[in-house]
Amino acid sequence: MNLRTLANVSKGEIFVLHNFSDENVAISMMELGCIPPIKIQVLGWALGGCPLYVKANNTLLAIRLKDAQKMIGI
Amino acid sequence: MKKIAIIGNPNSGKTSIFNHLTGLRQQTGNFAGVTVEIHKAAIIFENQPIEIIDFPGTYSLFPNAADERLVVEILLDEQHAVHPDIVCYIASAQHLERHLLLFSQIQDLGFLTVLGITMLDTAEQQGITVDLPKLQQLVGVPVVSLNGRSGKGTQELLKNIKNASCQTWIRSCEEQKQFLKQQLCENFTSVKPQIEDVLQRYQRIQSIVDECTAKKMASKTFTERLDTILIHPIGGLLIFLGLMFFLFQAIFSWAEIPMNWIEEGFVWVSLYLKGLLSEGWFANLLTDGILAGLSGIVVFIPQIAILSAFIALLEESGYMARAIFLTDNIMRRFGLNGRSLVSLISGTACAIPAIIATRNISNQKERLITILVTPFMSCSARLPVFTLLISVGIPSEKVGGILDARGLILFALYLAGATTALLASKILSQIIPTSERNVFMLELPVYQYPHWKSILLTVYNKVRTFVWEAGKIILIISVILWALAFYGPTYQRQKAEQLLQEQMTSHTDNVEQLRSSIYLETSYIGMLGKFIEPIIEPLGFDWKIGIALITSFAAREVFVATMATLYSVVDAEDTRTLVQRVKAEINPKTGQPVFTFPVVISLLIFYLFAMQCASTLAVVRRETHTWKWAILQLLAMSGWAYVASWLAYRIAVFWV
């Protein structure tokens, strides 16, 4: 299956996070309990498509689009 | 005295536990060089005095903000005033896995710890149950069940202090200290070792959590269902704006009633004292210096209380994170975040509570920018100044047959204030450096019924801090301004008496007002007004306006009262008389009216941008813990006010 970033996931879809292309994004996500591989569901967006509203590991999170682009998975 | 630290992740409920343990005994501790505050309280437990310290919430010991960094610094520095002997670690049952990360890092530092688990009931609703005896067995420290709402379990937590223990996870105590000191030296820029540290810890955490928790697949939670409405890109934004409008109304209108009572109360006391004491410097100092200063402090309490209660309500319920989410896209373009918007909107009522409200912004750079730009928003104290000046210089005409010219100017002033605040933010965000990670990730906590006790405690603490900290400075500035207005050189005073004798025959109806006017003119402040005349002349101002500029330095609304004194109007409330007198004032040099359209526009612009508020200055000093930002802000705002005023004056002169 082709790899994609969290920024390309549609609303309601489940994304499996495998890796990060930025260490700062990685440590911030890990501190919030998001250790790959982890399922992330996109629940919505704010006006203009940013930030994203997602659910990961029973936690609701807001992630900016530029940071979502650094999260790689399927 | 034993020091007990309350430590945990944000949204773990640790502050509610701290509030239950300490109540009204809380004090705020500030530490040199940092803008972060730590709340602490001394209590007696089982006949032993203990100090309880509420540490800022942090996700790990790899800080991303100034408050998180302070936690690491204190834990590593054994000589620090609040370095704890024992840690009460608070973790939420909902997110046990994540909350055990920081717990494991603290355990490796060798701190004797008790683990308190909160939100067991909320977790159960989500299908998560935690076996606490099993957890205690696995982590090797006492585990206590806590309820942040009722306070149940807090005494049990304290009782377990004597059983507190420690179990290392991935490093020995010395290795962990060395590792963190190394990271601190490198300003936590080396991320790879941090990632390795976290991954290693999670391996063990994962197996512990799997062993002591049971999870059932829960359907869509109440929070998720509510969020489909509250964070809808358009609907959610409209609800947020509605809430902000409600807040604005509350600060603007509701607070006015108790504010009027306070002002009337002070006037009554002042008049009573004037009647009681014989005329002289002491009576004057007491009534026009000290009482006026105290009134300037107490009068802000209703606004601060309403705004603090509202913000605490948003925080406690979990809505504040949604407000940040909704407005982040707009605010980040100006180097701010959603919490900044709450302060900016509140600033249109009063900058004091709005600046105090920035404490909720965890990113120190964004917080500082919000503090620095909030006074550009047109506060309610500018309104009497604007009303007077617009009545004097702007004709009551219809623009385009529908809109009132005066209303349009007032609207333009509010808009100009807001635009300047946002542009200044954009500039400051480029200038002010930051060492914080440029990653924005925000946890949206589950919705909860607010704890009324916590809200009341927050309001009490905010009001108390304002009265004691900013109040001192406001009082000092008021007394200095009083002294400058009350005293004058002897030769000037002799001149004043002569002038009074000469003019008394033509002003028999209001001798007292005439005396005040002449005495103000010959006081040090009057001399200062004349001294600064050459500086303010390019803006179209004369020395009388100069006096008003100086007297209104402490509070801009004093401008109207000063104008009333200078123009010998008996009742400052009677603006019609004041407007007529001000309009009729002739410049002896030019033979033209002083308050022409260009002068009024220039003054309006000056009052829109200049700081002219000692209370704001004091609060900025209080919140940034340094005079540096307060003075820079004063200079920048006054400098910009001067330039903008001059430009407006020149353009208006050209136009007319």
Side-chain angles (χ1 to χ4, degrees):
Chain A
M1 200 177 265
N2 285 339
L3 287 177
R4 56 181 178 163
T5 69
L6 180 64
N8 303 114
V9 177
S10 316
K11 188 176 170 179
E13 231 186 309
I14 291 175
F15 169 81
V16 183
L17 173 69
H18 280 289
N19 214 339
F20 302 95
S21 62
D22 182 295
E23 284 179 347
N24 283 320
V25 173
I27 189 75
S28 299
M29 281 295 274
M30 285 178 182
E31 281 177 344
L32 289 167
C34 300
I35 308 287
I38 184 172
K39 285 180 186 168
I40 301 177
Q41 187 180 17
V42 176
L43 300 177
W45 299 274
L47 196 67
C50 177
L52 275 78
Y53 173 52
V54 303
K55 186 178 182 179
N57 206 11
N58 209 27
T59 304
L60 296 167
L61 295 173
I63 300 173
R64 278 187 188 159
L65 204 60
K66 70 169 180 59
D67 298 324
Q69 283 162 351
K70 290 160 186 162
M71 297 177 199
I72 302 155
I74 47 173
Chain B
M1 187 160 41
K2 264 208 171 80
K3 294 191 184 79
I4 318 285
I6 307 281
I7 302 183
N9 280 204
N11 306 314
S12 61
K14 68 178 183 58
T15 300
S16 300
I17 301 296
F18 175 73
N19 287 341
H20 279 296
L21 285 169
T22 60
L24 293 175
R25 282 159 295 199
Q26 293 178 18
Q27 286 180 320
T28 307
N30 298 315
F31 302 102
V34 288
T35 54
V36 182
E37 287 177 336
I38 286 192
H39 296 280
K40 55 183 185 172
I43 64 163
I44 304 285
F45 181 73
E46 291 180 345
N47 299 322
Q48 292 288 319
I50 51 172
E51 190 174 42
I52 302 183
I53 308 140
D54 184 22
F55 276 57
T58 178
Y59 290 108
S60 78
L61 292 183
F62 305 133
N64 186 29
D67 50 354
E68 295 174 4
R69 192 186 167 92
L70 185 68
V71 176
V72 186
E73 284 170 355
I74 295 172
L75 294 181
L76 287 176
D77 180 6
E78 283 169 26
Q79 306 305 315
H80 199 285
V82 289
H83 180 83
D85 301 302
I86 293 166
V87 170
C88 284
Y89 188 87
I90 311 297
S92 153
Q94 275 178 293
H95 308 292
L96 195 57
E97 203 172 312
R98 163 162 42 101
H99 289 212
L100 286 180
L101 172 69
L102 175 64
F103 169 79
S104 75
Q105 291 177 324
I106 288 171
Q107 283 277 281
D108 279 357
L109 278 173
F111 284 101
L112 294 174
T113 308
V114 181
L115 177 59
I117 305 292
T118 56
M119 300 185 201
L120 283 153
D121 46 352
T122 321
E124 211 157 309
Q125 285 163 14
Q126 293 182 347
I128 303 166
T129 46
V130 183
D131 181 347
L132 296 185
K134 185 85 188 161
L135 179 64
Q136 177 164 312
Q137 187 194 332
L138 293 167
V139 294
V141 305
V143 175
V144 178
S145 159
L146 295 171
N147 188 319
R149 293 178 57 77
S150 64
K152 205 174 155 196
T154 47
Q155 293 305 307
E156 189 73 13
L157 186 76
L158 289 183
K159 273 182 197 157
N160 269 288
I161 283 171
K162 53 180 177 291
N163 305 322
S165 59
C166 176
Q167 197 182 70
T168 55
W169 284 57
I170 65 166
R171 285 190 197 93
S172 71
C173 178
E174 275 316 302
E175 283 170 348
Q176 173 75 342
K177 279 183 188 163
Q178 212 51 45
F179 174 71
L180 285 172
K181 277 180 185 166
Q182 175 74 22
Q183 283 282 328
L184 198 62
C185 282
E186 294 169 4
N187 208 14
F188 294 91
T189 47
S190 149
V191 182
K192 221 173 225 79
Q194 296 175 20
I195 292 175
E196 281 163 16
D197 177 282
V198 171
L199 284 174
Q200 221 178 326
R201 289 178 191 281
Y202 267 120
Q203 272 180 0
R204 188 165 157 200
I205 292 170
Q206 191 67 63
S207 66
I208 290 176
V209 173
D210 286 346
E211 242 181 284
C212 70
T213 60
K215 284 180 195 170
K216 270 187 262 165
M217 276 301 287
S219 55
K220 214 173 187 183
T221 61
F222 168 72
T223 296
E224 284 170 61
R225 283 200 296 272
L226 199 56
D227 271 346
T228 54
I229 304 163
L230 293 183
I231 64 162
H232 185 274
I234 296 162
L237 211 53
L238 289 176
I239 293 171
F240 172 70
L241 288 176
L243 279 171
M244 285 300 108
F245 179 73
F246 177 76
L247 169 65
F248 183 74
Q249 281 295 313
I251 306 174
F252 210 74
S253 314
W254 301 354
E256 206 178 300
I257 304 162
M259 283 170 91
N260 283 341
W261 292 342
I262 292 168
E263 277 176 341
E264 279 165 19
F266 271 97
V267 168
W268 184 85
V269 173
S270 175
L271 285 174
Y272 176 76
L273 284 175
K274 273 183 181 163
L276 199 70
L277 301 163
S278 55
E279 215 175 291
W281 71 269
F282 179 70
N284 211 287
L285 166 68
L286 205 63
T287 54
D288 294 351
I290 295 172
L291 271 182
L294 282 177
S295 158
I297 301 162
V298 180
V299 80
F300 287 117
I301 290 177
Q303 288 187 331
I304 293 173
I306 290 176
L307 181 63
S308 306
F310 194 84
I311 289 176
L313 193 70
L314 297 188
E315 290 278 355
E316 288 269 333
S317 62
Y319 182 79
M320 185 57 101
R322 272 78 188 175
I324 300 168
F325 171 83
L326 287 165
T327 53
D328 178 69
N329 203 8
I330 306 156
M331 299 308 284
R332 81 188 154 98
R333 291 168 204 272
F334 299 100
L336 300 169
N337 82 30
R339 287 174 205 244
S340 314
L341 192 65
V342 176
S343 283
L344 291 181
I345 291 175
S346 312
T348 50
C350 178
I352 315 291
I355 287 171
I356 294 175
T358 63
R359 284 187 196 174
N360 299 290
I361 303 172
S362 61
N363 182 304
Q364 293 304 302
K365 181 179 167 178
E366 289 170 346
R367 178 174 181 229
L368 180 62
I369 294 175
T370 313
I371 290 175
L372 294 178
V373 304
T374 295
F376 275 126
M377 303 297 288
S378 278
C379 67
S380 55
R382 283 176 173 100
L383 204 57
V385 182
F386 289 167
T387 314
L388 171 69
L389 291 171
I390 289 173
S391 308
V392 169
I394 313 293
S396 179
E397 288 171 1
K398 292 277 179 217
V399 178
I402 319 162
L403 299 166
D404 180 66
R406 291 176 166 179
L408 208 61
I409 292 279
L410 191 64
F411 178 72
L413 287 166
Y414 272 81
L415 199 67
T419 313
T420 311
L422 290 177
L423 290 176
S425 307
K426 182 81 189 160
I427 297 166
L428 288 168
S429 69
Q430 311 286 328
I431 300 170
I432 299 173
T434 179
S435 58
E436 292 168 38
R437 256 183 246 153
N438 188 22
V439 177
F440 171 84
M441 269 163 214
L442 178 75
E443 182 189 351
L444 301 168
V446 291
Y447 289 111
Q448 288 190 92
Y449 284 109
H451 310 169
W452 296 108
K453 201 178 156 190
S454 283
I455 292 176
L456 290 176
L457 211 55
T458 309
V459 172
Y460 170 78
N461 278 329
K462 295 256 157 90
V463 169
R464 191 186 60 174
T465 309
F466 168 73
V467 170
W468 291 114
E469 300 291 332
K472 280 185 282 194
I473 304 168
I474 298 171
L475 194 60
I476 291 168
I477 295 177
S478 301
V479 172
I480 292 172
L481 280 176
W482 165 83
L484 288 173
F486 187 76
Y487 292 105
T490 324
Y491 72 94
Q492 284 279 31
R493 285 291 137 107
Q494 283 165 354
K495 215 163 77 183
E497 281 302 326
Q498 261 179 10
L499 212 63
L500 187 66
Q501 293 303 324
E502 283 167 25
Q503 293 192 7
M504 244 163 55
T505 44
S506 57
H507 291 79
T508 45
D509 52 338
N510 52 357
V511 179
E512 268 317 299
Q513 201 61 32
L514 182 68
R515 184 194 299 272
S516 300
S517 167
I518 292 174
Y519 265 66
L520 187 63
E521 187 184 331
T522 54
S523 68
Y524 287 113
I525 225 165
M527 290 170 72
L528 269 173
K530 288 183 177 166
F531 177 74
I532 64 163
E533 197 175 21
I535 306 167
I536 56 174
E537 219 168 6
L539 312 182
F541 305 162
D542 66 354
W543 66 270
K544 280 191 178 179
I545 299 177
I547 293 180
L549 293 185
I550 298 168
T551 53
S552 65
F553 170 75
R556 42 179 77 85
E557 61 269 36
V558 174
F559 175 81
V560 179
T562 308
M563 294 302 269
T565 308
L566 285 169
Y567 291 97
S568 305
V569 178
V570 179
D571 183 5
E573 296 287 312
D574 183 2
T575 48
R576 257 190 319 176
T577 324
L578 182 57
V579 169
Q580 281 156 8
R581 288 209 183 220
V582 170
K583 267 186 175 172
E585 179 74 358
I586 300 290
N587 186 334
K589 285 184 197 165
T590 60
Q592 297 292 314
V594 173
F595 288 87
T596 56
F597 175 75
V599 170
V600 167
I601 289 291
S602 173
L603 255 178
L604 281 170
I605 296 289
F606 188 86
Y607 273 95
L608 175 66
F609 295 133
M611 168 69 95
Q612 301 292 102
C613 181
S615 310
T616 303
L617 208 61
V619 166
V620 172
R621 152 75 187 84
R622 167 81 190 77
E623 294 301 309
T624 58
H625 300 295
T626 164
W627 276 111
K628 183 179 95 177
W629 292 112
I631 289 168
L632 273 174
Q633 186 181 32
L634 172 70
L635 293 176
M637 288 183 76
S638 310
W640 169 235
Y642 188 90
V643 173
S645 215
W646 178 79
L647 273 172
Y649 181 65
R650 299 312 313 168
I651 293 167
V653 165
F654 179 73
W655 190 277
V656 174

